Amino acid sequence: MNTTFDQAALEQLVQPTRINKQVYINPEIFELEMDRIWGQAWIFIGHESQVRKTGDYFTTNINHKVPVVMVRDKNGKVQVLHNRCAHKGAKIVTSRSGNAPGAFRCPYHGWTFSHDGNLLKIPNESGYENTGFDLNDSCNNLQPVAQDNYKGFIFATLSSQAPDLKTWLGGTTDCFDNLCDRAPEGEVEVAGGVLRYEHDCNWKFILENLNDTMHPMVVHQSVVQSAQAYISSLDTDDIKQKAEAQIILPFGASFENFEESGITGFRYGHHYDGGKTSIHADYSVMPEYHQAMIDRYGAQRTQEIYAFNTHNTLLYPSLTIKCAVQNIRVIRPVAVDKFIVETWSFRLKGAPDEMLQRTLLYSRLINSSASMVGPDDLEVYRRMQEGLASNASQWVEMHRQYGRDQQLKDRVRGGGTSDLDVRTQYQAWRYYMLGEDYA
Ligand code: FES
Ligand SMILES: [Fe+2]
């Protein structure tokens, strides 16, 4: 695309300890990010349990523009197809999810396509005879998007140059493994619907806030105080209400607690905080569930699974995972100052239903638009979007613990209150936006 930001100008925007405000507010930068970051990275599409039967589909976008449909074909394979008719370009599927029995039929001229994208039939086909049109030419199919999955989590990429998915995921595969290991049957499935929440600010704010552990005790102070006051007002036998309100308390954890949990960064902008401990360290054990885990894995392995306790994992730029809580958030940019986040919850196969109920409660209490925690974050994102319009300064800074990050073979480690998470993301930003490779 034509842009006023040439390579030299882009290089100046992201420096080791500061980011130019244009990265958050400039529509041209946003379009470049959609093309170069969202057009090159692996983007999370969905979980295979969202399309169980032949013809089940789920629609989404790769970035703000490119519509795709994930569908289970007749051979049981999950396909990711461009949601764009080969005839004149109409979007074939507009529902968010459903089942297309037999085939997809375009609503405009009725071309039909199999679930693996092949063109099956054209109405009044004789009009194409002797025109050079070839029904069997693959360009007349719904075009596939390169896709792969790790443990049922399906990613797709618009790039033909992307590394294979497992290489791209790097050490974050530990988080997918741990999420599945927390199920007595070793698998998870989407359950309980989706919470969809529009944010009127730049898409990167939520990613940079995810493991910003200097904010919870400030931004969420009032809700933690309210939860504490509510718990104090309860009778001793109000066990259920107390347990629910206690979900909010860890958001008031101290700087020391967060520092101890540490942050681990990887190539391509991925990272997690926690590992040995996190603010979710106490969420795992419910007696019936614990017994099911012991029966499946034995006591030692069960403890190892619980002990890998991360708070938030980011798969830059489109997915965040909470292993110990069993929910994910999926990010989709809409415009420079708008994005959508969806929270999906998972059932641990083989676990008692109360585990899913707690996950759903967590999602409602913390991540929904009607929660008491998520809207705190949105309020500060909005204030940043408004504040950054000012020319008082051109910069947003990320100095915390700079120079102290510990570079290991395939990862970098730092203190839990460091800006390592943001530095990791902007290393990826330079990789995708500038073509700057890792050392
Ligand atoms: S645009 Fe799809 S059949 Fe014509
Ligand atoms: Fe927050």
Side-chain angles (χ1 to χ4, degrees), residues 85-90 92 106-111 113:
C85 182
H87 182 212
K88 291 183 188 282
I92 300 261
C106 180
Y108 197 177
H109 310 94
W111 288 26
F113 302 87

Side-chain angles (χ1 to χ4, degrees), residues 30-43:
F30 173 79
E31 291 295 335
L32 285 171
E33 289 175 341
M34 294 305 99
D35 190 34
R36 298 185 186 179
I37 300 177
W38 291 76
Q40 292 192 81
W42 285 95
I43 303 300

Side-chain angles (χ1 to χ4, degrees), residues 184-346:
E185 292 178 12
E187 289 182 357
V188 295
E189 60 186 351
V190 164
V194 58
L195 295 165
R196 209 154 190 262
Y197 188 2
E198 186 175 283
H199 285 53
D200 45 1
C201 56
N202 188 264
W203 62 276
K204 297 184 294 298
F205 287 154
I206 192 169
L207 306 188
E208 293 170 29
N209 177 68
L210 193 70
N211 286 318
D212 174 333
T213 56
M214 293 299 294
H215 90 276
M217 63 295 287
V218 181
V219 169
H220 305 304
Q221 182 182 25
S222 61
V223 68
V224 170
Q225 287 171 344
S226 300
Q228 284 166 334
Y230 174 66
I231 289 169
S232 305
S233 74
L234 293 171
D235 293 331
T236 44
D237 53 355
D238 290 334
I239 295 167
K240 185 165 174 284
Q241 291 89 332
K242 193 172 170 194
E244 291 177 0
Q246 278 175 333
I247 287 178
I248 291 169
L249 297 186
F251 290 88
S254 66
F255 294 132
E256 292 73 23
N257 275 356
F258 281 115
E259 177 63 18
E260 191 194 347
S261 69
I263 298 176
T264 305
F266 301 91
R267 283 176 76 113
Y268 309 119
H270 315 326
H271 63 273
Y272 58 72
D273 75 338
K276 290 194 183 121
T277 185
S278 84
I279 63 167
H280 299 316
D282 294 332
Y283 286 168
S284 303
V285 182
M286 284 179 164
E288 201 185 327
Y289 166 67
H290 185 56
Q291 190 56 51
M293 290 289 283
I294 299 273
D295 292 346
R296 169 68 170 76
Y297 295 107
Q300 187 184 339
R301 178 69 188 130
T302 296
Q303 283 308 327
E304 284 170 9
I305 292 167
Y306 295 164
F308 184 71
N309 207 312
T310 52
H311 174 202
N312 281 309
T313 304
L314 171 64
L315 282 304
Y316 186 84
S318 68
L319 175 67
T320 84
I321 309 174
K322 284 179 188 279
C323 298
V325 177
Q326 297 101 49
N327 76 9
I328 61 170
R329 279 176 285 176
V330 181
I331 315 302
R332 284 296 186 271
V334 176
V336 67
D337 56 358
K338 190 173 288 190
F339 69 91
I340 289 167
V341 55
E342 293 185 346
T343 300
W344 296 86
S345 300
F346 286 86

Side-chain angles (χ1 to χ4, degrees), residues 108-120:
Y108 197 177
H109 310 94
W111 288 26
T112 54
F113 302 87
S114 64
H115 296 133
D116 54 10
N118 289 327
L119 176 60
L120 296 175

Side-chain angles (χ1 to χ4, degrees), residues 100-229:
F104 288 123
R105 182 172 182 271
C106 180
Y108 197 177
H109 310 94
W111 288 26
T112 54
F113 302 87
S114 64
H115 296 133
D116 54 10
N118 289 327
L119 176 60
L120 296 175
K121 206 163 173 10
I122 297 177
N124 199 17
E125 200 178 314
S126 60
Y128 285 98
E129 282 169 12
N130 303 318
T131 65
F133 181 86
D134 180 359
L135 188 78
N136 296 313
D137 189 328
S138 63
C139 74
N140 295 314
N141 297 339
L142 295 183
Q143 295 301 301
V145 186
Q147 54 109 357
D148 199 354
N149 86 87
Y150 188 79
K151 301 220 161 165
F153 290 80
I154 293 161
F155 289 79
T157 179
L158 296 174
S159 169
S160 57
Q161 311 293 320
D164 67 86
L165 179 63
K166 200 147 181 258
T167 300
W168 184 83
L169 292 172
T172 66
T173 53
D174 290 348
C175 301
F176 292 94
D177 294 344
N178 183 257
L179 175 59
C180 296
D181 287 346
R182 283 169 183 270
E185 292 178 12
E187 289 182 357
V188 295
E189 60 186 351
V190 164
V194 58
L195 295 165
R196 209 154 190 262
Y197 188 2
E198 186 175 283
H199 285 53
D200 45 1
C201 56
N202 188 264
W203 62 276
K204 297 184 294 298
F205 287 154
I206 192 169
L207 306 188
E208 293 170 29
N209 177 68
L210 193 70
N211 286 318
D212 174 333
T213 56
M214 293 299 294
H215 90 276
M217 63 295 287
V218 181
V219 169
H220 305 304
Q221 182 182 25
S222 61
V223 68
V224 170
Q225 287 171 344
S226 300
Q228 284 166 334

